[in-house]
Every structure is written in C-alpha cells, then in structure tokens.
Amino acid sequence: RKGIANPLGAVWSLAMAMRYSFDREDDATLIENAMRAVLKDGVRTADIAGDYKPVSTEQMGDALLAKLVELTA
C-alpha cells in the first residue's frame, strides 16, 4: 500500500451522484465546498502538490472528513 492515490476524483464523483442521481443538492455543495477548502488550505497529494508538501491518500481523506465536520458544525 503506497498511499499515493488522489481520492479527490472519487469524492467529486460522489458529489455529482448526490446532485444528479439522488437530487441531494445541499449534500453535493457541502462536499464540493469541503474539497475547495482543503485545497485552499494547501492540502495536496503528490500528483497535484506543486510547491506544497504532498500528503498521503489517508491524510487527504482525513483532511476532507475534518473539513466536512467543520462545515457542518
């Protein structure tokens, strides 16, 4: 297990499913806002890190979950 995969594509697919398949606009927007916020905070996996220090797949997932909790508090 290398921990180098970027989970954002899968998470974005979930947001689109929430919006277009399940008519859950609020949930889709929440997921997208969490992704944007995490990226704005500089959390990036190696494939999109650029000048940022790359994080693992698990760290990206943890950051997304923490941001979702923060946005729903």
Side-chain angles (χ1 to χ4, degrees):
R1 196 167 111 173
K2 296 181 182 180
I4 60 173
N6 184 341
L8 293 183
V11 174
W12 199 344
S13 293
L14 172 63
M16 290 190 306
M18 297 302 275
R19 177 173 286 119
Y20 299 115
S21 296
F22 304 116
D23 197 30
R24 303 287 301 257
E25 181 68 30
D26 290 346
D27 293 326
T29 300
L30 175 65
I31 293 166
E32 292 165 346
N33 288 342
M35 288 193 310
R36 284 186 195 99
V38 165
L39 290 171
K40 186 177 179 183
D41 290 345
V43 181
R44 310 281 170 89
T45 50
D47 59 319
I48 60 170
D51 293 333
Y52 295 93
K53 180 182 178 204
V55 300
S56 69
T57 305
E58 184 176 359
Q59 290 168 317
M60 177 61 85
D62 290 346
L64 279 167
L65 286 173
K67 192 57 72 173
L68 284 166
V69 169
E70 178 184 320
L71 292 174
T72 57

